[in-house]
């Protein structure tokens, strides 16, 4: 909210915006700014905001805005009454000639009020219908699929002249209503879900003068958590009571409304079957009862002149009328897939027209969304790691333990086309982005990843998403990067928060990680403090396994293997190496071998030479840790894993001050290091040549570091995760389960 002098109300109030407010503090400022801000030139507007006893800071936000703009009046209700009654309270306080019911998590488009006001003054309709666009969580805007009905419409008309108007969306926010006309109809918003249709239908049926504005005036926020179109609840049964009120109005106003009874009835049945056919809305144990109510409603309100539509929909309606639930349920998957494909492909075509180069992405998204109507496979788990780079990290460890403990659950890996060689023999996989991949992901009950799955492929209702992450945080992460734009590099934080809300479980290796991640990755997930499954391989590694890996790498018996694994500098475009590995290898001598592991975001720069082995392409960092006698790293999370081995760790941090300023850190690494610290190559060489890295002082440092960051590393982390997620059993032993913020 801008710090500007208080705005005075206009003498003439043409439009009253009624704004019910409940738990929308995240969206409310954008909504208010879109109505009262500089993007609207029209000033003859008032906002009647009804704080429906909101438990968050929405009420305080309203008061702050009202102090700056006297066009905003705030009504604080003493108790929560629900959306319908909150709208009625706002209507009672409104003074404008017209009233517009706006949802407080949505927004008006720039200039919308002036365009609406001009049309109202010119035509003086009872009802003005305005066009809208859908706004996805990632900010993508998609215009109303029925926008064509607005094109070419006369400035005023009656419903009899354009009966197709009844096919438009029946929301309160999609129409601006003449206040005296609305009050004269003696209507009341319903209670519970779908509360607006008991008003939005009747106003069309009773209006003597309609108008349509072919302009996107409203942005509807799609997919918001808590929206009724996104929520499984018994409240979907409220639909029937709302339609009963509509038919009661038709009976009361038969002279004007009776000609439209059949059209309203058809929409009633279509609405009910759509709710029943949308996966995850009606709770599974209530579906038969919902069908029974639909059937009773059909027989009770069917008009005398009604005839069934043709095709599959006609068959569906006949089954509803007869109450034949088993037959209806049998054909439901076919109907779902047909409708989903039609809707999704329509979106894809529109997206392709707007941006042809994005056509492939649009089709991919459309196909995935269509596949979401297929039944969930309770025995299917999908795994991925590092943006589909291959078989690795915590997901691989969970996969292997799940095969052992829950063999009935089939695991499938998502892998990039050029990384399929990383998949071990006998492990099923799908190529990222392929039709089989999209179908598999859409049907899977379980999803396991150490990063986020693609944003445009949302988790289906009822699926379980396990976010394992891939390291203990030393550097700033998640929402903390808002203060470090060089490292964030344009990160979409709103999208990140939306992603976090999809998580059901977050695997944590230690209390420090739990404290940081639950703050910077906000969500309602459960935290599994089990330790990292990938560390099990280190803890359980035998001497024979270590010798095998060393032999594969060409490490001679008696040689000291030094693993150098620096992290990625995402705050800069570095081309020069921080360590001259050839020179360092020469300084170490022939009794050492330097294993150089570049970060997966970086291009390896190590040329083959005596005493230096580039292991950047080695499939397993865990095997490299098992093989190494000592680790050199800077700020990589590998140090926290390697500490579980209780072997020497040396920190080489020549750019520490630059890194901590640009990236931000949670630890003072130089003061809390797990071993010796060098800030120059000369110091690093001296630490090795003097043997300091193996001395008693650094062993004591390492012991304290392990106590803090490796408390659960007993070799059973993967088992705890599998038992908690797939069986499920509570995390036990060293691990505990907590809830994310």
């Amino acid at each position: 909210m801008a710090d500007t002098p208080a705005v005075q109300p206009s003498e003439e109030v043409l439009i009253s915006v009624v704004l019910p407010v409940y738990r929308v503090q995240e969206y409310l400022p954008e909504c208010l700014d879109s109505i009262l801000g500089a993007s609207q030139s029209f000033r003859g507007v008032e906002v009647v905001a009804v704080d429906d006893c909101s438990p968050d800071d929405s009420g305080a936000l309203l008061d702050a805005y009202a102090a700056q703009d006297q066009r905003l009046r705030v009504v604080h209700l003493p108790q929560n009454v629900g959306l319908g009654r909150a709208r009625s309270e706002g209507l009672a306080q409104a003074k404008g000639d017209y009233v517009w019911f706006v949802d407080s998590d949505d927004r008006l488009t720039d200039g919308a009020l002036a365009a609406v006001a001009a049309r109202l003054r010119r035509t003086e309709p009872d009802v003005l219908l305005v066009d809208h666009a859908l706004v996805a969580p990632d900010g993508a805007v998609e215009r109303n699929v029925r926008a064509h009905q607005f094109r070419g419409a006369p400035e005023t008309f009656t419903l009899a002249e354009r009966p197709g108007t009844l096919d438009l969306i029946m929301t309160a926010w999609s129409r601006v209503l003449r206040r005296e006309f609305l009050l004269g109809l003696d209507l009341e918003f319903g209670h519970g879900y779908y509360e607006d249709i008991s008003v939005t239908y009747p106003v069309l049926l009773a209006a003597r003068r309609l108008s349509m504005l072919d302009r996107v005036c409203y942005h509807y926020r799609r997919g918001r958590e808590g929206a009724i179109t996104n929520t499984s609840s018994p409240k979907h049964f409220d639909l029937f009571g709302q339609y009963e009120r509509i038919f009661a109005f038709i009976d009361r106003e038969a002279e004007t409304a009776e000609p439209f009874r059949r059209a309203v009835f058809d929409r009633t049945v279509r609405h009910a079957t759509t709710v029943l056919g949308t996966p995850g809305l009606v709770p599974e144990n209530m579906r038969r009862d919902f069908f029974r109510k639909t059937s009773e409603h059909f027989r009770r309100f069917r008009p005398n002149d009604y005839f069934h539509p043709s095709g599959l929909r006609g068959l569906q309606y006949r089954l509803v009328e007869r109450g034949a639930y088993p037959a209806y349920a049998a054909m439901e998957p076919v109907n779902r897939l047909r409708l989903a494909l039609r809707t999704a492909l329509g979106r894809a075509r529109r997206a392709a027209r707007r941006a042809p180069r994005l056509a492939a992405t649009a089709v991919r998204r459309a196909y995935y969304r269509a596949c979401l109507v297929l039944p969930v496979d309770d025995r299917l788990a999908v795994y991925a790691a590092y943006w589909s780079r291959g078989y690795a990290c915590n997901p691989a460890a969970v996969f292997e333990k799940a095969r052992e403990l829950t063999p009935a659950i089939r695991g499938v890996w998502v892998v990039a086309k050029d990384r399929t060689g990383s998949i071990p023999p006998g492990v099923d996989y799908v190529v990222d982005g392929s039709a089989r991949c999209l179908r598999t992901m859409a049907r899977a009950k379980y999803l396991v990843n150490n990063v986020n799955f693609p944003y445009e492929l949302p988790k289906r209702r009822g699926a379980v998403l396990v976010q394992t992450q891939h390291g203990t945080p030393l550097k700033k992460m998640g929402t903390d990067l808002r203060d470090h734009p060089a490292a964030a590099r344009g990160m979409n934080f709103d999208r990140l928060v939306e992603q976090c809300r999809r998580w059901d479980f977050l695997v944590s290796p230690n209390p420090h990680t739990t404290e940081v991640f639950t703050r910077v990755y906000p969500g309602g997930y459960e935290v599994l403090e089990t330790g990292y499954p990938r560390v099990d391989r280190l803890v359980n590694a035998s001497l024979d396994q270590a010798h095998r890996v060393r032999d594969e790498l060409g490490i001679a018996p008696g040689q000291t293997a030094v693993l150098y694994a620096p992290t990625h500098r995402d705050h800069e475009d570095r081309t020069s190496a921080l360590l001259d590995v050839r020179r360092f290898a020469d300084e170490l001598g022939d009794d050492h071998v330097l294993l150089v592991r570049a970060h997966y975001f970086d291009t390896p720069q190590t040329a083959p030479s005596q005493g230096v082995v580039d292991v950047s392409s080695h499939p397993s960092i865990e095997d490299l840790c098992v093989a190494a006698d000592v680790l050199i790293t800077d700020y990589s999370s590998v140090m926290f894993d390697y500490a579980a081995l209780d072997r020497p760790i040396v920190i080489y941090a020549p750019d520490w001050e630059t890194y901590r300023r640009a990236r931000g850190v949670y630890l003072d690494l130089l003061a809390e290091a797990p071993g010796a610290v060098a800030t120059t190559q000369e110091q690093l060489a001296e630490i090795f040549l003097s043997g300091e890295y193996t001395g008693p002082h650094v062993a004591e440092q390492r012991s304290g570091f392990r106590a803090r960051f490796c408390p659960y590393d007993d070799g059973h982390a993967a088992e705890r995760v599998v038992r908690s997620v797939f069986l499920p059993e509570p995390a036990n032993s060293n691990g505990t389960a907590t809830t994310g913020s």
Side-chain angles (χ1 to χ4, degrees):
M1 178 176 62
D3 187 12
T4 57
V7 177
Q8 302 297 320
S10 170
E11 291 184 6
E12 176 199 7
V13 177
L14 179 65
I15 303 171
S16 293
V17 173
V18 173
L19 195 72
V21 175
Y22 185 76
R23 280 187 173 171
V24 288
Q25 66 178 38
E26 181 179 352
Y27 310 105
L28 185 57
E30 182 182 6
C31 178
L32 290 170
D33 289 341
S34 78
I35 303 168
L36 300 171
S39 65
Q40 305 294 346
S41 59
F42 179 71
R43 315 306 284 177
V45 64
E46 68 165 0
V47 177
V48 182
V50 181
D51 170 20
D52 192 14
C53 201
S54 185
D56 59 6
D57 291 332
S58 294
L61 275 170
L62 290 172
D63 291 338
Y65 268 83
Q68 293 294 320
D69 195 326
Q70 294 183 32
R71 293 174 299 166
L72 170 61
R73 290 186 286 125
V74 183
V75 179
H76 294 284
L77 299 182
Q79 62 185 20
N80 179 254
V81 297
L83 183 54
R85 286 183 59 186
R87 284 197 177 117
S88 297
E89 291 284 348
L91 175 61
Q93 300 285 334
K95 299 176 181 178
D97 296 335
Y98 285 85
V99 63
W100 193 353
F101 297 98
V102 172
D103 286 355
S104 49
D105 56 345
D106 297 331
R107 67 181 306 276
L108 303 189
T109 61
D110 295 353
L113 285 172
V116 167
R119 176 59 67 88
L120 293 176
R121 285 171 170 162
R122 189 165 65 247
T123 61
E124 298 183 345
D126 294 325
V127 180
L128 172 64
L129 296 115
V130 297
D131 201 4
H132 70 280
L134 306 174
V135 180
D138 64 354
V141 178
E142 179 183 323
R143 192 166 182 182
N144 165 29
V145 296
R146 298 191 181 277
H148 61 277
Q149 292 200 28
F150 287 79
R151 302 185 194 114
E155 284 212 324
T156 61
F157 57 91
T158 65
L159 188 59
E161 291 168 337
R162 291 179 67 87
T165 305
L166 281 171
D167 285 332
L168 294 173
I169 190 168
M170 286 291 166
T171 56
W173 50 257
S174 63
R175 55 212 63 203
V176 183
L177 309 174
R178 188 164 59 83
R179 184 166 62 90
E180 292 301 325
F181 160 73
L182 175 59
L183 293 174
L185 294 178
D186 192 26
L187 295 171
E188 188 176 288
F189 286 100
H191 305 305
Y193 279 12
Y194 311 104
E195 82 301 326
D196 47 358
I197 63 174
S198 56
V199 169
T200 55
Y201 274 98
V203 295
L204 286 186
L205 300 175
R208 299 184 182 278
R209 194 177 182 88
L210 297 170
S211 186
M212 298 175 74
L213 183 57
D214 184 15
R215 183 189 193 280
V216 173
C217 296
Y218 194 94
H219 277 174
Y220 172 74
R221 194 182 299 274
R222 186 173 66 190
R224 183 173 78 84
E225 187 175 2
I228 67 172
T229 53
N230 210 30
T231 303
S232 175
S233 172
K235 291 184 179 181
H236 289 288
F237 281 82
D238 295 345
L239 177 75
F240 302 106
Q242 313 296 11
Y243 275 110
E244 286 176 7
R245 297 159 70 92
I246 296 169
F247 285 110
F249 178 85
I250 294 175
D251 291 340
R252 191 184 84 197
E253 304 290 336
E255 183 178 345
T256 56
E258 184 62 34
F260 307 105
R261 183 186 294 270
R262 191 172 70 188
V264 172
F265 174 79
D266 190 71
R267 282 216 59 179
T268 301
V269 182
R270 194 190 324 165
H271 194 169
T273 54
T274 298
V275 170
L276 186 60
T278 302
L281 290 187
V282 179
E284 197 63 35
N285 63 341
M286 297 180 175
R287 293 180 60 78
R288 183 181 286 272
D289 283 345
F290 193 93
F291 178 85
R292 179 182 54 78
K293 286 286 291 183
T294 305
S295 182
E296 291 173 357
H297 187 91
F298 192 109
R299 292 192 292 269
R300 176 182 173 188
F301 292 106
R302 173 178 174 162
N304 293 330
D305 61 346
Y306 181 77
F307 53 87
H308 293 286
S310 59
L312 282 173
R313 178 176 290 170
L315 174 59
Q316 186 182 36
Y317 286 14
R318 285 182 172 86
L319 294 174
V320 168
E321 185 175 21
R322 295 170 186 169
Y325 181 70
Y328 181 92
M331 69 173 293
E332 205 171 17
V334 177
N335 274 316
R336 286 183 185 174
L337 186 58
R338 177 180 61 85
L339 292 172
L341 277 170
R342 186 173 66 187
T343 302
L345 290 174
R347 288 176 180 167
R349 284 193 294 270
R350 290 190 294 275
R353 285 195 295 269
R354 291 195 305 269
R357 64 188 180 85
L358 298 178
T361 300
V363 170
R364 177 171 174 257
R365 182 183 305 173
Y367 181 74
Y368 175 81
R369 290 183 179 276
C371 290
L372 288 175
V373 305
L374 297 171
V376 66
D377 187 341
D378 290 331
R379 296 189 173 189
L380 175 61
V382 167
Y383 296 83
Y386 297 120
W387 301 274
S388 302
R389 281 184 168 86
Y391 181 91
C393 194
N394 292 314
V398 174
F399 170 80
E400 290 165 7
K401 185 56 67 173
R403 282 206 299 186
E404 174 189 333
L405 297 180
T406 58
I409 298 177
R410 180 170 62 96
V412 178
W413 277 78
V414 176
V415 62
K417 190 174 183 179
D418 61 344
R419 301 297 181 98
T420 57
S422 72
I423 302 297
V427 173
D428 193 9
Y429 69 88
V430 291
V431 174
D432 191 16
S434 67
R436 184 180 174 225
C437 170
L438 299 171
R439 191 167 59 251
T440 301
M441 286 187 61
R443 295 199 61 198
K445 171 71 173 181
Y446 303 99
L447 302 162
V448 183
N449 207 333
N450 69 353
V451 296
N452 278 317
F453 284 98
Y455 180 78
E456 67 271 15
L457 307 181
K459 183 187 73 171
R460 73 177 296 149
R461 293 185 182 93
V464 176
L465 197 161
V466 183
Q467 171 58 258
T468 73
Q469 286 289 351
H470 52 278
T472 291
L474 184 153
K475 59 190 177 185
K476 290 294 180 73
M477 303 290 288
T479 55
D480 277 351
L481 288 178
R482 285 193 174 104
D483 299 327
H484 299 275
R489 294 205 169 192
M491 180 183 293
N492 185 327
F493 291 101
D494 290 338
R495 177 181 290 190
L496 172 66
V497 172
E498 290 286 343
Q499 294 269 57
C500 295
R501 289 172 179 166
R502 298 176 184 177
W503 303 352
D504 296 287
F505 294 100
L506 171 67
V507 177
S508 174
N510 48 59
H512 162 78
T513 299
T514 300
E515 188 278 323
V516 171
F517 280 177
T518 53
R519 179 170 52 79
V520 304
Y521 296 121
Y525 49 79
E526 180 180 343
V527 180
L528 299 178
E529 285 192 322
T530 56
Y532 268 160
R534 69 185 184 189
V535 179
D536 289 352
R537 184 181 297 186
L538 277 62
V539 176
N540 296 328
S542 66
L543 199 57
D544 287 343
Q545 288 173 311
H547 287 157
R548 175 185 58 78
V549 180
R550 290 171 69 93
D551 288 344
E552 291 172 355
L553 295 172
I555 302 172
Q559 273 190 313
T560 298
V562 181
L563 175 61
Y564 174 50
T567 196
H568 175 66
R569 268 72 172 168
D570 44 15
H571 60 281
E572 62 184 30
D573 295 316
R574 175 171 294 277
T575 56
S576 58
L578 290 166
L579 178 66
D580 184 337
V581 295
R582 287 190 183 181
R583 177 181 141 203
F584 184 57
D586 289 342
E587 291 169 332
L588 290 178
D590 293 342
D591 57 344
H592 288 68
V593 60
L594 186 61
L595 310 175
V596 181
R597 174 80 166 191
H599 190 275
Y600 50 83
F601 281 161
D602 298 329
T603 302
Q605 300 180 4
T606 304
S609 62
Q610 182 67 31
V612 178
V613 180
D614 182 3
V615 292
S616 301
S617 61
H618 194 282
S620 172
I621 182 64
E622 291 79 26
D623 278 354
L624 296 176
C625 289
V626 169
D629 298 295
V630 56
L631 170 70
I632 301 174
T633 189
D634 40 29
Y635 324 117
S636 170
S637 64
V638 71
M639 75 176 78
F640 301 97
D641 292 7
Y642 194 82
L645 290 167
D646 198 17
R647 297 177 189 172
I649 301 173
V650 177
I651 300 299
Y652 176 54
D655 59 344
W656 169 244
E657 292 303 327
T658 301
Y659 188 87
R660 74 186 301 181
R661 280 196 310 271
R663 178 64 203 234
V665 295
Y666 298 112
L667 308 174
D668 183 349
L669 184 59
L670 303 196
E672 303 175 70
V677 175
T679 57
T680 68
Q681 183 156 339
E682 290 72 25
Q683 289 177 345
L684 183 64
E686 179 58 28
I687 286 171
F688 275 84
L689 294 175
S690 67
E692 178 188 345
Y693 74 97
T694 60
H697 175 66
V698 296
E700 184 178 342
Q701 286 179 275
R702 188 167 69 249
S703 177
F705 190 86
R706 293 180 70 240
R708 180 178 180 186
F709 296 110
C710 307
Y712 312 136
D713 292 333
D714 60 357
H716 298 286
E719 179 179 348
R720 286 192 286 272
V721 171
V722 170
R723 291 191 181 281
S724 296
V725 174
F726 294 100
L727 288 178
E729 300 172 5
N732 51 37
S733 186
N734 293 319
T736 59
T738 60
T739 302
S741 62

